[in-house]
Amino acid sequence: MSGGYFFYAYNQYKEHLAESISKEILALHNGMEKIFNPIINADLLHLIDPILNEVPKNRSFVETISLSLNNETILSSSDKRQISKTFLTTKSANKNNIAADILSGETYFLMPLTYYHGENKMIGSLLITINQKAVSSNLFLQEIYTSFMISTICIVVLISIILFMIHKFLILPLHAFEMLTLDRKREKASFFISDLANIYNHISDSYDQLDEKERSLENALYIKDYLNNILHTIDSVEHLLISDKSIQEIMDESCKLLSKHGQYNLTWIGNIVDDRIEIVAHSDDSTGYVKQLNLSLNPNDPTSKGPSAQSTLTNKTIVTQSVNMEYYSLWRDKAKDSGIGSSICLPLRGSANEKPFATLAIYSSKPFGFLDEEITMLEDLAGDLGYSIVSRIKKEELQVALTTDSLTGLSNRILLLKRIHDCKNPRLLLININRFRDINTVYGFDAGDFILRSYAKYLSKEISEDFGHIFKLHSDTFAILFEKSYPSQSIETFIQKVSLMLAEHPFSYNGIEIWITIAAGYSDTTEQTIENAEIALKIAKDHKVLFQQFDQSMRSNKEHEENIAWYKIIKDAIKYGQLVPFYQPIVSNESGEIVKYEALARIVMDDGSIIPPFKFLDIAKKTGLYPQLTKTIVEKTIATFRELPYRVSLNLSTEDITNTDMVSFLRESIINSSIGNKIIFEILESEGVDNYDLVSEFISDFKQLGCQFAIDDFGSGFSNFEHLIKLHVDFLKIDGSLIKNLPNDRNARVIVKNIQNFASEMGIATIAEFVSSKEIADIVKSMGITYSQGYYFSEPSKEILINLEAKNI
């Protein structure tokens, strides 16, 4: 009986040991599955070998442990001889029969291993080889059993009973708790002592919950770092959009910056040209993937079914999470060779309601490489990039329109002023067509336009850029700017050649031969270059000669006498109160009501005649009376509008802004009268601004007092849009020379509309000057211009006009 009890205890122990090893195998399998899943998902396969090498060292029953991802060959093993070998067995171990297999002498256990690659669930294998000798050595009780059976069965039985009790009620629970703390994932347990079972199961559940939270946290941290990296890249691109770089530079550098993001390996931008996408910018393309792209928008072309074409055609973002998708078949092989796993194509457009003008394509090296949050950020970037490009295109178009004569295509006076300003030693030749008005009168304006176009073409052929630059000025006058030093005799010889050609070759218009002659004035002075050339041209025409060069003697004594006379008039006007502000209303185009006024300087003579400012402002500046003039108009205007419910505009020149005494006077006047919220300062754009930093500082200081700012005569001078943006003005007053020509001049309409679009995009209100008729007022209103000002509403007056009812507008 004692032998039977011992044999029973021996079998129980052996079964328990097999069961323990079985559970250790399952725990090892679960642990490996947990460890390998993030490693495989992150493509960090080189970390697997060190982990497998440690297993036999820590578990004596394990001889070798191997891993396969394709269920055919061994990828990694603690026994390097097994790597790349095929499985010795293809039979997967049954989790419920591992203990029985151990008892039967089984040494190979093939366990399925679940892992994720991206979002795809995959199944691999874990092969565990048991060290049967190590297992057998643990069954030393068989020898004890034989020895004790011979010596004393009773002692063995007693010891067996004691061991059984200890094993059953102490060792098994303690071992189970030990395995639980090591593996943290065990199946539900049932012990003789129910409280131990409850504690064990509660701890097991807590470990499961903790593991799940750890996985969620690790994934959240990975996504956070990933999105932060993308956000940093996008921020770098956004900084490009507010730089001074050209459109091409912005597209090139945007592609390069995006491809520096860790997962993006290629980026390109393609413009829509007719029914094709032409790639105009891309990042480094070492594999030549971009070069082989041929993208059509024609529905009959197979390439139109691709993601970039579909993004353009549907005006939507197209995300291709895997190049294995069917519609990617045309590019799949090349994409795989180039390391592309997924892509996103985004339409580029000026606004959400516009059609795309280009597409932005970004490629990721990973399948399923674009998260939802990531897609949203890239869509915002594409919106900003498209808006920036369209805005710059419109600005460039407006710049061209402002600086080009629409009839001849030559640069106009605006660009001439800038070129003279930038030139150290300008030399200017003005050429005027004699009696041009007679051509318009006799043959009609179409004939006159034909002559101007034809003569412009002739000059363009005769003058190379190395010799000089041609400009078209007002009416029938052309200008040639020489930036190199030529003897005046060479210039006169050139004019004689041009005149001789006109004498020998008339212009033929509708079968009519039209002969023209010219007169030319030349100035090589560095100051007042245009004015001096115009004086020389006037003398040439008055004396009916071909060529006249300017010299200082041409500024006659009569001019000095006139200057002295004007000085006295201005001085007396300031002294005796004859310098007064006249007020012209500014009307809202939406409501038709007066919303503000402009103060305009006038001199009222004793006989009641009124002298406009263009007759005395230049003399006032030259004679030093200009600051007194400005102060007088400011003081009287503030006194008038202090109690009125209207804003009022005051004109300032750059001379006023750079005069520290004048700036102090303006600040004190506004603060003492508490009228800052009614003052609008108009800065003359036609004068040009040299020190934008100083002007910007002036604007910033006086805006803190409640003042607003306008750029006056916008479109008459060289409009530097970059600086205007930095000045942060509130209004643009469109030059009257453009407004008055709106009904008959298509070019004027194009320029004005572009100015309005530019201002609208910048959040700047617009004011149309010189609105002299209902026709012009209607055109201005239809263009979306905010306010109007002109004789159609009211002439400037000393009295404040409260409403427009008397005008029947």
Side-chain angles (χ1 to χ4, degrees):
M1 182 176 292
S2 297
Y5 282 131
F6 188 85
F7 184 77
Y8 171 78
Y10 161 71
N11 285 334
Q12 284 291 102
Y13 181 80
K14 189 163 76 169
E15 289 175 5
H16 168 71
L17 186 58
E19 180 64 23
S20 176
I21 294 173
S22 170
K23 292 180 179 181
E24 290 234 17
I25 290 174
L26 292 175
L28 179 61
H29 166 262
N30 292 334
M32 293 297 103
E33 189 170 64
K34 175 187 173 186
I35 292 171
F36 289 152
N37 192 32
I39 290 176
I40 296 172
N41 194 29
D43 287 340
L44 301 175
L45 300 181
H46 64 278
L47 297 179
I48 294 176
D49 282 344
I51 296 172
L52 294 181
N53 291 339
E54 289 298 314
V55 173
K57 297 177 183 179
N58 298 328
R59 290 174 173 80
S60 60
F61 66 89
V62 176
E63 181 174 341
T64 61
I65 180 168
S66 306
L67 173 68
S68 173
L69 297 184
N70 59 9
N71 296 320
E72 293 179 4
T73 58
I74 294 175
L75 172 67
S76 180
S77 175
S78 60
D79 183 0
K80 304 309 176 194
R81 296 171 297 178
Q82 303 299 322
I83 296 176
S84 301
K85 290 185 178 181
T86 57
F87 288 158
L88 296 178
T89 177
T90 57
K91 178 182 178 182
S92 296
N94 189 327
K95 293 182 179 181
N96 299 323
N97 294 331
I98 292 177
D101 292 338
I102 292 173
L103 291 173
S104 65
E106 182 62 50
T107 58
Y108 293 95
F109 294 91
L110 185 65
M111 314 290 289
L113 184 122
T114 302
Y115 64 94
Y116 288 83
H117 193 271
E119 295 184 358
N120 297 324
K121 183 177 180 182
M122 312 293 288
I123 303 297
S125 297
L126 193 69
L127 179 62
I128 301 172
T129 305
I130 297 298
N131 186 338
Q132 192 63 36
K133 291 182 180 181
V135 174
S136 299
S137 65
N138 290 326
L139 302 179
F140 65 94
L141 288 182
Q142 183 173 4
E143 296 178 6
I144 298 175
Y145 166 72
T146 303
S147 176
F148 272 66
M149 283 295 291
I150 296 172
S151 59
T152 171
I153 294 176
C154 293
I155 294 174
V156 171
V157 169
L158 181 59
I159 293 174
S160 298
I161 293 172
I162 293 171
L163 289 175
F164 175 76
M165 297 296 289
I166 293 173
H167 175 76
K168 183 69 175 177
F169 301 119
L170 182 60
I171 294 177
L172 284 180
L174 290 177
H175 183 71
F177 275 97
E178 179 187 10
M179 297 305 296
L180 178 62
T181 58
L182 291 174
D183 295 342
R184 291 176 48 167
K185 188 171 183 181
R186 308 290 292 173
E187 297 179 355
K188 298 292 183 181
S190 177
F191 304 131
F192 180 80
I193 303 174
S194 60
D195 288 342
L196 286 176
N198 291 336
I199 293 172
Y200 176 93
N201 292 332
H202 179 72
I203 294 175
S204 179
D205 291 341
S206 298
Y207 277 145
D208 289 342
Q209 295 173 7
L210 182 60
D211 289 343
E212 183 62 31
K213 289 181 179 179
E214 284 183 355
R215 285 192 294 270
S216 298
L217 181 59
E218 288 173 356
N219 188 52
L221 289 174
Y222 170 77
I223 292 175
K224 178 185 176 183
D225 291 342
Y226 177 77
L227 294 178
N228 281 340
N229 191 11
I230 296 175
L231 189 60
H232 177 73
T233 302
I234 290 176
D235 185 59
S236 299
V237 177
E238 294 281 3
H239 276 80
L240 279 177
L241 306 184
I242 58 175
S243 68
D244 295 330
K245 296 182 180 296
S246 66
I247 294 174
Q248 187 61 49
E249 287 174 329
I250 286 177
M251 292 192 297
D252 288 337
E253 295 189 27
S254 295
C255 291
K256 292 178 181 178
L257 284 172
L258 285 169
S259 291
K260 288 182 179 179
H261 171 62
Q263 194 163 292
Y264 302 157
N265 55 357
L266 183 61
T267 305
W268 57 261
I269 295 174
N271 285 341
I272 299 172
V273 181
D274 298 328
D275 63 347
R276 306 198 64 76
I277 298 177
E278 292 188 1
I279 298 175
V280 294
H282 60 80
S283 59
D284 291 339
D285 182 26
S286 58
T287 63
Y289 182 76
V290 173
K291 294 180 180 179
Q292 59 88 38
L293 290 178
N294 186 20
L295 305 171
S296 174
L297 299 176
N298 187 334
N300 297 323
D301 192 313
T303 62
S304 67
K305 304 301 187 291
S308 54
Q310 285 300 304
S311 174
T312 301
L313 293 171
T314 62
N315 203 7
K316 294 179 180 178
T317 300
I318 301 296
V319 181
T320 304
Q321 292 288 24
S322 174
V323 295
N324 290 322
M325 301 182 77
E326 180 59 32
Y327 61 79
Y328 218 89
S329 59
L330 290 175
W331 306 276
R332 182 179 300 127
D333 292 340
K334 184 63 177 177
K336 288 183 176 180
D337 292 342
S338 301
I340 296 172
S342 55
S343 68
I344 182 171
C345 295
L346 308 107
L348 297 182
R349 55 210 169 192
S351 67
N353 298 324
E354 295 181 11
K355 292 183 178 180
F357 64 89
T359 186
L360 169 65
I362 303 172
Y363 299 90
S364 171
S365 59
K366 303 291 185 184
F368 299 92
F370 298 93
L371 302 174
D372 290 342
E373 300 92 333
E374 180 180 2
I375 294 170
T376 300
M377 288 192 290
L378 291 175
E379 286 179 330
D380 290 342
L381 172 64
D384 293 342
L385 182 59
Y387 173 79
S388 177
I389 292 175
V390 168
S391 297
R392 288 168 186 266
I393 291 173
K394 290 181 179 179
K395 185 176 70 176
E396 289 178 0
E397 291 175 348
L398 177 57
Q399 195 85 344
V400 171
L402 286 171
T403 58
T404 304
D405 177 69
S406 59
L407 180 64
T408 63
L410 297 175
S411 299
N412 62 13
R413 185 184 184 91
I414 296 173
L415 199 55
L416 173 61
L417 288 169
K418 181 180 184 301
R419 294 295 291 265
I420 291 176
H421 179 271
D422 295 340
C423 184
K424 292 182 178 179
N425 297 299
R427 286 156 172 76
L428 186 65
L429 176 69
L430 297 184
I431 302 175
N432 180 261
I433 300 176
N434 293 324
R435 302 180 62 84
F436 182 75
R437 182 177 298 179
D438 293 344
I439 295 175
N440 285 330
T441 302
V442 174
Y443 303 109
F445 288 101
D446 288 343
D449 291 345
F450 168 78
I451 294 298
L452 292 176
R453 286 194 299 268
S454 300
Y455 191 57
K457 289 179 181 178
Y458 167 73
L459 287 178
S460 298
K461 290 180 181 179
E462 291 295 319
I463 301 173
S464 66
E465 289 190 2
D466 291 337
F467 182 57
H469 302 280
I470 310 173
F471 301 85
K472 170 66 170 62
L473 305 187
H474 55 82
S475 185
D476 53 355
T477 302
F478 294 83
I480 302 174
L481 178 64
F482 305 98
E483 297 183 1
K484 296 180 180 179
S485 178
Y486 295 105
S488 59
Q489 186 177 359
S490 298
I491 303 299
E492 185 174 2
T493 300
F494 167 75
I495 284 296
Q496 290 173 349
K497 174 186 173 184
V498 172
S499 177
L500 181 61
M501 187 282 300
L502 295 175
E504 296 176 349
H505 300 88
F507 293 101
S508 178
Y509 174 75
N510 290 339
I512 301 172
E513 291 185 346
I514 301 177
W515 300 82
I516 66 172
T517 60
I518 59 173
Y522 177 67
S523 170
D524 57 3
T525 59
T526 55
E527 299 292 335
Q528 298 177 300
T529 306
I530 297 180
E531 182 180 351
N532 292 339
E534 287 176 339
I535 291 173
L537 176 62
K538 184 177 185 301
I539 292 175
K541 292 180 72 67
D542 289 345
H543 291 79
K544 294 182 174 55
V545 297
L546 173 63
F547 177 81
Q548 179 64 58
Q549 182 175 359
F550 171 82
D551 63 63
Q552 293 296 334
S553 64
M554 294 178 181
R555 292 186 177 272
S556 64
N557 291 331
K558 183 179 179 180
E559 180 181 350
H560 298 302
E561 293 172 358
E562 289 179 352
N563 290 342
I564 294 172
W566 275 111
Y567 175 82
K568 187 176 185 305
I569 292 173
I570 299 169
K571 189 75 173 176
D572 290 345
I574 296 173
K575 181 177 180 180
Y576 298 113
Q578 293 175 305
L579 178 66
V580 296
F582 275 42
Y583 306 109
Q584 187 172 34
I586 299 173
V587 178
S588 167
N589 287 330
E590 181 177 354
S591 66
E593 297 178 351
I594 297 172
V595 292
K596 62 190 77 172
Y597 287 83
E598 180 180 4
L600 302 165
R602 298 287 190 271
I603 293 177
V604 181
M605 302 299 288
D606 292 336
D607 61 0
S609 60
I610 298 172
I611 302 176
F614 73 87
K615 289 189 175 182
F616 59 82
L617 278 183
D618 286 341
I619 300 300
K621 290 180 180 180
K622 293 176 181 178
T623 57
L625 293 175
Y626 184 74
Q628 293 177 255
L629 187 152
T630 300
K631 289 180 179 180
T632 300
I633 296 298
V634 169
E635 287 174 342
K636 292 184 177 181
T637 300
I638 287 178
T640 300
F641 279 83
R642 182 179 293 175
E643 304 300 331
L644 292 177
Y646 298 105
R647 282 185 175 271
V648 61
S649 295
L650 291 165
N651 290 292
L652 292 182
S653 68
T654 53
E655 182 177 324
D656 293 318
I657 296 173
T658 55
N659 186 331
T660 55
D661 176 67
M662 179 62 69
V663 173
S664 297
F665 165 78
L666 294 173
R667 183 182 290 107
E668 291 176 6
S669 299
I670 290 172
I671 293 175
N672 293 338
S673 62
S674 301
I675 199 175
N677 61 348
K678 293 183 180 180
I679 297 296
I680 302 171
F681 286 121
E682 295 187 10
I683 301 173
L684 293 173
E685 198 270 342
S686 57
E687 290 187 351
V689 178
D690 293 328
N691 193 335
Y692 276 92
D693 291 336
L694 184 63
V695 175
S696 180
E697 181 181 352
F698 177 85
I699 291 175
S700 178
D701 289 346
F702 279 80
K703 276 199 170 188
Q704 294 181 20
L705 300 178
C707 302
Q708 292 182 309
F709 285 83
I711 296 296
D712 196 10
D713 293 339
F714 189 80
S716 64
F718 184 73
S719 304
N720 192 321
F721 297 105
E722 294 294 338
H723 286 124
L724 287 180
I725 292 171
K726 295 175 183 177
L727 291 180
H728 301 293
V729 298
D730 304 285
F731 307 96
L732 287 184
K733 296 192 75 172
I734 304 174
D735 183 55
S737 64
L738 296 171
I739 298 299
K740 69 182 181 181
N741 291 323
L742 287 177
N744 304 313
D745 190 339
R746 180 181 177 279
N747 189 52
R749 291 194 296 273
V750 171
I751 294 174
V752 172
K753 184 60 180 175
N754 279 316
I755 292 175
Q756 169 59 26
N757 291 339
F758 165 75
S760 177
E761 290 178 1
M762 297 305 302
I764 301 174
T766 47
I767 303 172
E769 299 180 301
F770 282 47
V771 179
S772 57
S773 67
K774 185 176 187 303
E775 182 182 12
I776 295 175
D778 290 342
I779 295 174
V780 164
K781 184 175 181 180
S782 69
M783 286 183 169
I785 295 173
T786 319
Y787 305 104
S788 290
Q789 177 182 358
Y791 279 30
Y792 173 64
F793 302 101
S794 173
E795 297 180 10
S797 170
K798 285 194 287 187
E799 306 300 328
I800 300 298
L801 183 65
I802 302 301
N803 59 62
L804 299 173
E805 292 181 0
K807 301 291 294 182
N808 295 321
I809 295 175

